[in-house]
Amino acid sequence: MSYKRLIPCIFINKGKAVKWFDNMEIVSDDVVALAKEYNDHGADELLVFDLSNSDDDHDESIDLMKKINRVIQIPMVAGGNIRRQEDVKKILYAGAKRAMLNFSKPDAGKLMEEVSKRFGKDKIAVSLNDFDALFKQQHTIQNYSSEIIFMHRLDLDSVMNITDIPCVVVTDTLEEPELLKILKCPGVKGLSGRYVSQKGMDFTAYKETCAKEGIRMTSFESKMDFSEFKLNSDGLLPVIVQHYKTSEVLMLAYMNQEAFEQTVKSGRMTYFSRSRQCLWTKGETSGHFQYVKSLTIDCDKDTLLAKVDQVGVACHTGNPTCFFQPVVGSDYDETNPLQVFESVYQTIQDRKIHPKEGSYTNYLFDKGIDKILKKVGEEATEIVIAAKNPNPEEIKYEISDFLYHAMVLMVERGVTWDDIVRELADR
């Protein structure tokens, strides 16, 4: 039996979260805050439906998807108002794990084939609201999508006889016996709809209800029992916590068996406080949660390495990491591209805040955005010219010049390297 997931859905109409497809009652003015609430309360994934009719409203929904992706640590599947390949590209670039195509739309099968070949079938989901569409288009759906979103209560047993593609059921029912029946269906990977999308939904508590019915809800499963680990003299397991993207060491903490099991169960780092002698989930008071990406034990089985997605900062002092006080040497690495970019960026930013007489950077800021843009354009052209020259040294010089001027533009417009890195990672 595979694990099941609880997947709330958000319907966006004119920048607001509304109740349902055919019910435009506003449930939240702040779509991003609603998504973060689902994320922080234990949802496993998020479905986002764009109900817009105009291009302007569609672009606003795409922008909201980008903002949602920046505040959640769970996967997002999104769709709605998809009419061409470019719409799929925008949704995927907004951070969605999959773009969801509505199979009731004309030419949906043809579009699905095109985008599947361009982006990969693992990036494509299909939404269905009737059994006939699945039966008639079985071949297309099977070949060009990796997930089915059922929009109504269907004969799930019959559906599973036609396809083995994992499906999420979006239902308007609030009846618990029917919800449990849906989750028990072998081909169903997740439950969505009105029940799990209620504001204030306690996903952890509902998972426990499901577990009592024999439904496996845990997002993670440990390959080792806690008894296999070697504990220290206090009966605890040291945990080194590392950012999964940057490999930066964030903190050191400790776990007992209960903390370890709670971490695996919830997907959020939970520790044992030696001073308070109790469990504590990182972020429960600050909001700076740590979401598990992987847990690895060392060769002696006496130290755990946790790679996490850190929300906010790791240290109670407000520093990104607890290891911020130099003792010997420096951790600056002039061969680390991001560190170099950050250092130059910070110098440019400091010039803007604290102008220096004779500074070329301050000259650009004083002349304003048009001058900065002119220089960015000139430097881009210089790269093209240098690329025609067989000497690679010229290309290095011109690219460096371009990057400097691009960073001046970034500072002028308030864009950081974190913003750029996140955007590239989403793509």
Side-chain angles (χ1 to χ4, degrees):
M1 185 190 300
S2 60
Y3 290 116
K4 310 292 183 170
R5 304 169 74 80
L6 299 181
I7 307 173
C9 50
I10 294 178
F11 302 95
I12 302 176
N13 183 53
K14 298 181 179 179
K16 310 290 185 183
V18 298
K19 200 163 187 178
W20 203 247
F21 298 100
D22 55 357
N23 185 340
M24 297 298 110
E25 177 188 343
I26 295 174
V27 295
S28 177
D29 289 327
D30 192 333
V31 175
V32 179
L34 179 61
K36 188 174 188 304
E37 178 182 320
Y38 289 140
N39 177 91
D40 293 347
H41 284 77
D44 299 308
E45 198 168 300
L46 183 66
L47 277 179
V48 179
F49 296 90
D50 171 24
L51 304 183
S52 66
N53 292 312
S54 70
D55 287 341
D56 287 344
D57 286 344
H58 181 56
D59 287 341
E60 182 180 11
S61 296
I62 295 290
D63 188 51
L64 285 171
M65 291 176 196
K66 290 180 181 178
K67 292 176 180 178
I68 286 172
N69 186 57
R70 293 187 180 118
V71 302
I72 64 174
Q73 283 70 45
I74 54 179
M76 173 176 66
V77 175
N81 203 4
I82 293 178
R83 291 170 288 176
R84 49 193 179 267
Q85 287 193 42
E86 190 65 22
D87 295 320
V88 172
K89 177 183 174 182
K90 287 180 179 179
I91 287 175
L92 294 176
Y93 279 15
K97 180 177 72 171
R98 293 187 186 91
M100 176 174 44
L101 276 64
N102 184 348
F103 224 74
S104 65
K105 295 290 182 70
D107 298 325
K110 180 182 177 183
L111 178 60
M112 177 180 290
E113 181 177 351
E114 291 173 353
V115 295
S116 179
K117 288 178 177 177
R118 179 177 176 183
F119 302 106
K121 67 178 289 185
D122 61 311
K123 295 290 187 181
I124 307 301
V126 55
S127 66
L128 293 171
N129 58 14
D130 68 88
F131 182 79
D132 286 343
L134 173 61
F135 185 78
K136 293 175 182 177
Q137 300 289 344
Q138 176 189 355
H139 176 77
T140 302
I141 293 171
Q142 191 83 30
N143 287 345
Y144 301 117
S145 69
S146 58
E147 184 176 76
I148 297 174
I149 315 294
F150 284 122
M151 308 311 300
H152 294 288
R153 287 167 279 177
L154 301 174
D155 181 354
L156 294 175
D157 290 333
S158 297
V159 168
M160 294 310 121
N161 288 332
I162 291 182
T163 178
D164 57 2
I165 298 178
C167 72
V168 173
V169 177
V170 183
T171 175
D172 61 354
T173 185
L174 299 175
E175 300 172 8
E176 190 167 289
E178 186 166 351
L179 296 171
L180 294 173
K181 181 181 177 182
I182 291 171
L183 282 169
K184 288 178 180 179
C185 183
V188 172
K189 66 164 264 189
L191 175 68
S192 186
R194 282 188 170 169
Y195 185 85
V196 298
S197 303
Q198 299 176 88
K199 289 198 71 176
M201 173 71 178
D202 188 338
F203 295 97
T204 301
Y206 190 67
K207 286 178 183 179
E208 291 176 357
T209 299
C210 294
K212 291 176 182 176
E213 293 289 325
I215 303 169
R216 300 173 71 188
M217 302 297 299
T218 309
S219 298
F220 296 95
E221 182 179 20
S222 177
K223 297 178 181 178
M224 299 180 68
D225 190 85
F226 190 80
S227 62
E228 298 179 58
F229 303 145
K230 297 177 184 176
L231 310 182
N232 65 13
S233 58
D234 295 324
L236 300 173
L237 181 68
V239 185
I240 299 169
V241 185
Q242 189 178 32
H243 197 291
Y244 85 105
K245 282 186 178 177
T246 65
S247 295
E248 184 176 30
V249 177
L250 301 176
M251 57 184 281
L252 171 69
Y254 297 86
M255 285 182 178
N256 61 5
Q257 181 170 350
E258 188 179 0
F260 174 78
E261 292 175 350
Q262 180 64 22
T263 296
V264 173
K265 177 181 177 181
S266 67
R268 294 190 287 193
M269 295 301 294
T270 302
Y271 307 104
F272 181 80
S273 170
R274 294 173 299 168
S275 59
R276 300 194 303 269
Q277 289 292 297
C278 64
L279 294 189
W280 63 284
T281 298
K282 176 69 175 175
E284 59 189 349
T285 55
S286 65
H288 297 164
F289 293 101
Q290 292 174 342
Y291 291 89
V292 179
K293 289 296 182 179
S294 68
L295 300 175
T296 308
I297 199 69
D298 75 332
C299 54
D300 293 322
K301 297 183 181 178
D302 61 6
T303 304
L304 196 67
L305 175 64
K307 293 192 176 183
V308 305
D309 190 352
Q310 172 72 58
V311 176
V313 299
C315 186
H316 71 282
T317 63
N319 284 281
T321 168
C322 293
F323 298 95
F324 62 90
Q325 303 179 84
V327 178
V328 176
S330 170
D331 65 353
Y332 178 77
D333 182 1
E334 63 182 14
T335 65
N336 184 315
L338 189 53
Q339 282 197 3
V340 174
F341 289 155
E342 282 286 6
S343 177
V344 175
Y345 182 94
Q346 288 167 11
T347 300
I348 294 170
Q349 192 175 46
D350 184 69
R351 287 286 186 274
K352 185 174 176 62
I353 299 170
H354 306 105
K356 187 176 180 180
E357 188 176 352
S359 164
Y360 174 67
T361 302
N362 285 127
Y363 163 77
L364 291 173
F365 284 134
D366 290 342
K367 289 296 182 180
I369 186 66
D370 288 341
K371 179 65 174 180
I372 295 171
L373 292 175
K374 184 172 182 289
K375 288 301 298 181
V376 170
E378 289 174 357
E379 297 303 334
T381 303
E382 292 293 335
I383 293 175
V384 175
I385 295 171
K388 302 293 286 185
N389 190 317
N391 183 358
E393 293 302 317
E394 287 193 32
I395 299 177
K396 295 178 190 176
Y397 179 85
E398 297 300 345
I399 288 178
S400 297
D401 243 6
F402 173 80
L403 287 171
Y404 159 76
H405 286 92
M407 280 189 270
V408 174
L409 176 61
M410 287 165 62
V411 171
E412 177 68 15
R413 282 291 182 253
V415 176
T416 69
W417 276 115
D418 281 344
D419 295 329
I420 301 299
V421 169
R422 182 181 284 272
E423 182 69 22
L424 289 171
D426 289 342
R427 295 187 182 191

